Amino acid sequence: MPDSTATISTTPDSTIAAYLATWNETDAARRQAAIARAWDGAGRYRDPLMASEGHAGIDAMLAGVQARFPGFVLKRTSKVDSHNDWVRFAWSLGPADGAAVVEGVDFCALAPDGRLASVVGFIDKMPAA
């Protein structure tokens, strides 16, 4: 039987929407299912502070961010710009009804099925340690 998770995200916009949903899902089982929909099994994430690989690594990374910033929401703050198998967009992280605490831009490579193969994040605004 084919893997049904591979057919959910078919456009760059829907892939990025699925990706953002993974950051905001606090239920572990639902977050893991969302990661499988948004990410290729060998997907890799890199930014100046974090790195993860594969569904389990990405899940652990997201759980860690949620623990550090409880109640915060990741939002897309720009259009999704894409060409070929590449995507970029700006984002912010902060309280649902408050000002952003962290801001940045992600550059993504898509796998042949439209899911994320890699994400490289650049942080433009970050709270002092």
Side-chain angles (χ1 to χ4, degrees), residues 36-52:
R37 286 190 300 273
W39 284 88
D40 179 76
R44 295 177 56 170
Y45 179 93
R46 301 287 186 270
D47 73 23
L49 304 172
M50 301 181 294
S52 61

Side-chain angles (χ1 to χ4, degrees), residues 13-117:
D13 286 326
S14 63
T15 297
I16 298 310
Y19 168 67
L20 294 172
T22 67
W23 283 87
N24 297 322
E25 181 55 67
T26 56
D27 178 83
R30 287 194 306 256
R31 184 179 55 244
Q32 291 162 6
I35 289 167
R37 286 190 300 273
W39 284 88
D40 179 76
R44 295 177 56 170
Y45 179 93
R46 301 287 186 270
D47 73 23
L49 304 172
M50 301 181 294
S52 61
E53 294 185 27
H55 291 175
I58 292 164
D59 180 52
M61 177 187 71
L62 296 180
V65 171
Q66 291 172 356
R68 180 170 180 202
F69 299 104
F72 281 20
V73 175
L74 188 73
K75 301 175 187 174
R76 184 171 51 84
T77 60
S78 72
K79 70 177 186 144
V80 174
D81 188 23
S82 64
H83 67 82
N84 299 302
D85 295 328
W86 298 95
V87 179
R88 72 175 174 179
F89 65 96
W91 51 266
S92 67
L93 179 71
D97 296 324
V101 174
V102 183
E103 297 175 350
V105 175
D106 281 357
F107 295 86
C108 312
L110 301 178
D113 65 3
R115 292 186 295 166
L116 295 164

